[in-house]
Amino acid sequence: NSRVPGEHSPSRAGNSRVPGEQSPSLCILADSREICSGPEVLSCLRAVHGLRVQVCSLGTSDYIVSNRLAVDRLLQSELQSPGNRNKLGQRLQRLQGIFERICVIVETDRVRPGETSRCFQRTQYYDGVLSALVQAGVRLLFSSCQEETAALLNDLALLEHRKDAAIQVPTEPEGHQRDILNFYLSIPNLSYGAALNLCHSFGSITAVANSSVPALAAGARLSRPQAEELHRFLRHDFDLQLLPQPQPLPAKRKS
Amino acid sequence: TAGSIVVPYGHVIGNEKWRGSELAQRLQGKVRLIFEDALGLVDFHLSNRTCVLLISEADLVAGDEFKRRLVRFRNASSLRGIVIVEKTQISDQYYLGVQKLVVLELGMVLLPVANQGEASQLIIQLVREQSRDRSSSPFLGGQRAPLAEAAGLRAVQRIPGVGKTKALLLLQRFGSIHRLCNAAIHELEQAVGQTGAQQIYTFLHS
C-alpha cells in the first residue's frame, strides 16, 4: 500500500456531529490550510452562523459550499502582484474543470496590531485580474475581514440550499468507507463532494463502475458532462505503453 | 430602455450624461468613446453583450432609488450587467447590503472602486478583457487533461494492499477499472495470487 499517510483523509478537527445523526444544519467543507490562514472564518461559521464545518484535505479550493459551488478566499494583496498570476490561473482553471460554479472572495488584508493601516494602492494589474475573473464567469465577492467572509460563505450556503444543491450526505466516513472515499478522490476532476456522494449513494465501487451516465449524475449530483467524464474514466482502456518509461519508483510526494 | 445596442469593435458607448465628466475625460484617449443619449439605465456599453452601471457614493447615501434602477435593468435586459460602485469611507456601511442584492439576488457582477478615477481605470481593463480572445484568458479552459493512464494507476493503488507493481499487473490484465470490478475472483487470483485477490474483490464489491 503506497498511499501517503494522511493524504485526503478527513481531519477530525472540530466536528461535533454524532455519527449517523442527520443534522439539519447546513454543511460546508473547508480545506485544512484554512485552520492556519482563516481561523476566524472557521470559528465564525460555527459559532455565529451555526454551520457544520468539516475540515478536510480539499487541495483544490479553500471551501466547498455545495455540490456545485467552490469558493476560494484570496487576500487583496495576492491579486495585486503579478507574481501569483500563474499559480492563480492554474488553480482556477483546475476548479473550472471540477465545479459548475466558482466564487472568489477577495478579502482585505488584515492590519496587524501596531501597524499603520497600509493604504491600498490599486494597480492596473489588479484591475486586469478582476476583469479576467469577471470575463471567465467567476463570481466575485468582496470582504473586509474574516468575519465578513464567514457571513458571505453562510449566505452562499443558504442560497445553494434553496437551489437544492446543499451537501446532504455524511461528510466523515469511517473505516472501510474512508478507503473507498480515497479511491474516489483519486479520480480526475471529481470533487470531494461528489466523492462523498458516491460513497453514500452506491453500495460499492463495482456498483459505480456498472452505472449508466444518468445514474452517476443522479447519485453523485454531477452535471451531465461531469457524469460522462466519470463514466469515460471508469471504462477507459488503459494503455500502459503511454506511462512514462522507465517506471519511476512509487511517488511518496503529494501530487 | 436597457435594450441591446450595437457597439463597434474596440469602442465604448457612453451615456450622454457622462459627457464632459472627469470619468469621461480619463477614458478618452484610452478607449474609443462615443456618446449616445438613449441608453436609459445603462452608463456604458462595453460590447454587444456587456454593459456597466455606475453607482456613486451619492446614490448609495441617497436611499433606495439605485436599487430600483438595478432591479429594473435586471428585469428588462438580457445584457450582462457589471455594476461599479463607489465604496468610500462614507458609503462603506452600505456595501455588504448592496453586494447581497447585486451579486447574490440579482446575479450581476459588482466591483468596488474608491472614486471616479479608479472607475475609469477599471473600465479600461474591462474593455481590454472584452476584446481579448477567450482562449487567451488565464482563468479559462486551456488546461490539458492529465494523462488518464497515470490517474488510473493512482486510483488502482488506492485499493488497500495494492502497490505500484500489483496495480500495473491488474491494469495490464483487465484494461479498465470497469473490467477490473467485474472480474471473477479466480481471474484476480491469476494476476495477483490468492490473498491479494480476495482483498481486492472484497474492496471493490462492498
Side-chain angles (χ1 to χ4, degrees), chain A residues 95-147:
Chain A
L95 280 180
Q96 304 260 15
I98 304 176
F99 291 91
E100 279 174 72
R101 292 170 185 229
I102 297 160
C103 176
V104 164
I105 298 180
V106 181
E107 192 178 286
T108 311
D109 295 65
R110 193 206 296 251
V111 181
R112 289 181 187 80
E115 210 177 37
T116 47
S117 167
R118 276 167 301 177
C119 204
F120 170 62
Q121 283 296 320
R122 198 175 177 116
T123 59
Q124 187 179 319
Y125 174 76
Y126 177 79
D127 286 332
V129 172
L130 292 187
S131 303
L133 289 170
V134 167
Q135 188 71 356
V138 174
R139 207 193 293 204
L140 284 170
L141 291 168
F142 293 83
S143 150
S144 64
C145 58
Q146 294 196 18
E147 289 80 357

Side-chain angles (χ1 to χ4, degrees), chain B residues 30-175:
Chain B
K30 300 285 175 42
V31 298
R32 275 169 282 182
L33 185 59
I34 309 164
F35 288 103
E36 277 190 25
D37 57 6
L39 296 191
L41 303 165
V42 172
D43 291 301
F44 295 94
H45 284 276
L46 307 186
S47 72
N48 296 346
R49 284 195 56 249
T50 311
C51 61
V52 165
L53 290 88
L54 282 158
I55 298 175
S56 68
E57 177 189 58
D59 291 334
L60 283 173
V61 176
D64 286 347
E65 179 52 35
F66 77 90
K67 293 186 185 167
R68 282 189 282 276
R69 177 179 158 220
L70 293 177
V71 172
R72 276 213 321 275
F73 168 83
R74 190 68 181 82
N75 290 337
S77 177
S78 58
L79 295 180
R80 184 154 67 138
I82 298 175
V83 180
I84 297 181
V85 63
E86 234 180 314
K87 184 180 185 241
T88 62
Q89 281 187 331
I90 295 166
S91 65
D92 191 43
Q93 55 182 313
Y94 306 107
Y95 189 79
L96 282 183
V98 173
Q99 179 163 260
K100 204 163 170 174
L101 172 75
V102 174
V103 183
L104 300 184
E105 287 170 38
L106 300 179
M108 295 165 74
V109 176
L110 181 71
L111 300 170
V113 296
N115 49 50
Q116 286 197 14
E118 284 194 2
S120 67
Q121 294 299 317
L122 179 56
I123 288 173
I124 292 164
Q125 292 303 318
L126 285 167
V127 171
R128 289 218 174 120
E129 197 60 39
Q130 286 288 317
S131 52
R132 232 159 79 140
D133 185 9
R134 269 177 81 80
S135 65
S136 67
S137 164
F139 303 128
L140 269 178
Q143 198 194 28
R144 261 204 271 142
L147 193 62
E149 273 62 28
L153 195 60
R154 266 201 306 277
V156 174
Q157 284 180 81
R158 294 285 172 92
I159 301 172
V162 176
K164 186 139 189 168
T165 314
K166 278 188 189 170
L168 282 167
L169 283 172
L170 289 167
L171 281 184
Q172 234 150 29
R173 188 165 191 109
F174 299 103

Side-chain angles (χ1 to χ4, degrees), chain A residues 2 93 96 122 124 127 131 134-135 142 152 176 182-183 186 188 205-206 209-210 234-239, chain B residues 80 99 112 118 125-126 130 138-139 141 143 148-149 151 155 157-158 175-179 182 203-204 206:
Chain A
S2 68
Q93 280 188 6
Q96 304 260 15
R122 198 175 177 116
Q124 187 179 319
D127 286 332
S131 303
V134 167
Q135 188 71 356
F142 293 83
L152 291 172
H176 174 65
N182 279 325
F183 178 86
S186 72
I205 293 172
T206 302
N210 288 333
L234 292 169
R235 287 166 194 251
H236 180 82
D237 248 315
F238 295 106
D239 179 357
Chain B
R80 184 154 67 138
Q99 179 163 260
E118 284 194 2
Q125 292 303 318
L126 285 167
Q130 286 288 317
F139 303 128
Q143 198 194 28
E149 273 62 28
Q157 284 180 81
R158 294 285 172 92
S176 71
I177 290 174
H178 178 248
R179 278 206 296 278
N182 290 292
F203 180 76
L204 295 175
S206 59

Side-chain angles (χ1 to χ4, degrees), chain A residues 156-172:
Chain A
L156 288 170
L158 286 169
L159 199 64
E160 288 295 286
H161 178 68
R162 281 210 297 278
K163 303 265 171 75
D164 196 30
I167 298 165
Q168 283 174 323
V169 295
T171 52
E172 206 183 23

